[in-house]
């Protein structure tokens, strides 16, 4: 079975919108291109391992259209050469033609369509951007690995990759990390089991704590 890897450039407040340039997203987002000022060659090695392996792309429609308008004209860049060559699987309900070479449409319910793709033969599937995919794939337990590249900036508004669906609650295990002098943090996590909980308390709860818990349970705090 294939592994699904989600790779995200994110701000400290979880925004992933338009990291590449000011003109990347014209939907009233005023901070496009927020990644470039912090990017340096410190992260070349972990990014090279992520993007230089054998994989196929799994994309939502909007990210696909951004990529399809850019990468075919920038194949001289190493990542462009790879993206242009690999197969692209696009989760979309639109009937707009997929003009980028080696592109194919995934039809039907997103989670079910991706589950079928995941169960098929082939290389691992790499998600780039595509915030809407996570809303369907994380609750279904289909994402095996998350690679979060976090930049030291807060954007305040914009598309976020995580909706807070309680069905996504689970533990993740850190398997790789790297830091840049400019404060960029590269961290790779693999999916673990249920969320583990415990307490720092060393004594039985006091009467004040018990009273507070009762008020909380009754919605009176």
């Amino acid at each position: 079975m294939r592994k699904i890897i989600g790779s995200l450039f994110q701000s400290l407040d979880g925004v992933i919108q338009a990291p590449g340039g000011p003109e990347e997203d014209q939907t009233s987002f005023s901070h496009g291109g927020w990644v470039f000022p912090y990017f340096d060659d410190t992260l070349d090695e972990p990014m090279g391992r992520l993007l230089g392996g054998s994989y196929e792309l799994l994309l939502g429609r909007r990210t696909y259209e951004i990529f399809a308008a850019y990468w075919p004209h920038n194949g001289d860049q190493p990542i462009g050469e790879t993206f242009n060559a690999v197969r692209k699987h696009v989760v979309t309900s639109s009937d707009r033609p997929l003009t980028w070479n080696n592109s194919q449409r995934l039809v039907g319910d997103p989670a079910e369509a991706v589950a079928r793709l995941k169960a098929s033969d082939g290389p691992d599937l790499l998600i780039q951007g595509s915030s809407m995919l996570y809303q369907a794939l994380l609750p279904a337990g289909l994402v095996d690995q998350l690679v979060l590249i976090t930049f030291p900036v807060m954007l305040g508004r914009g598309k976020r990759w995580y909706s807070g669906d309680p069905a996504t609650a689970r533990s993740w295990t850190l398997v790789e990390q790297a830091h840049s002098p400019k404060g960029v943090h590269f961290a790779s996590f693999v999916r673990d089991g249920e969320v583990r909980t415990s307490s720092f308390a060393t004594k039985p709860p006091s009467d004040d704590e018990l009273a507070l818990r009762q008020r909380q349970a009754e919605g009176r705090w």
Side-chain angles (χ1 to χ4, degrees), residues 25 55 83 100 103 116 154 158-159 200 207 214 216 218:
D25 191 332
Y55 58 85
F83 279 7
W100 195 8
S103 297
R116 289 192 296 269
M154 294 185 71
K159 297 174 186 175
F200 285 102
D207 290 342
Q214 184 63 36
Q216 291 172 337
E218 297 172 353

Side-chain angles (χ1 to χ4, degrees), residues 41-151:
D41 59 7
T42 306
L43 299 178
D44 283 354
E45 185 175 345
M47 290 298 296
R49 284 195 295 273
L50 173 68
L51 299 176
S54 175
Y55 58 85
E56 294 176 352
L57 285 171
L58 176 59
L59 304 172
R61 178 184 61 83
R62 292 180 180 177
T63 297
Y64 173 83
E65 291 187 0
I66 291 170
F67 282 11
Y70 180 82
W71 287 116
H73 309 286
N74 290 273
D76 55 327
Q77 301 179 33
I79 188 59
E81 182 179 3
T82 299
F83 279 7
N84 287 329
V86 301
R87 184 174 297 279
K88 278 75 71 172
H89 304 274
V90 187
V91 179
T92 177
S93 59
S94 170
D95 58 2
R96 188 173 300 166
L98 304 179
T99 58
W100 195 8
N101 67 298
N102 286 338
S103 297
Q104 68 177 37
R105 191 186 317 272
L106 294 180
V107 298
D109 176 80
E112 293 177 1
V114 172
R116 289 192 296 269
L117 177 64
K118 179 180 171 70
S120 67
D121 293 332
D124 291 340
L125 300 161
L126 177 65
I127 305 172
Q128 289 282 286
S130 305
S131 61
M132 296 304 293
L133 282 184
Y134 293 97
Q135 317 313 317
L137 303 189
L138 280 172
L142 293 172
V143 179
D144 302 285
Q145 184 174 350
L146 284 171
V147 180
L148 304 179
I149 303 98
T150 306
F151 290 76

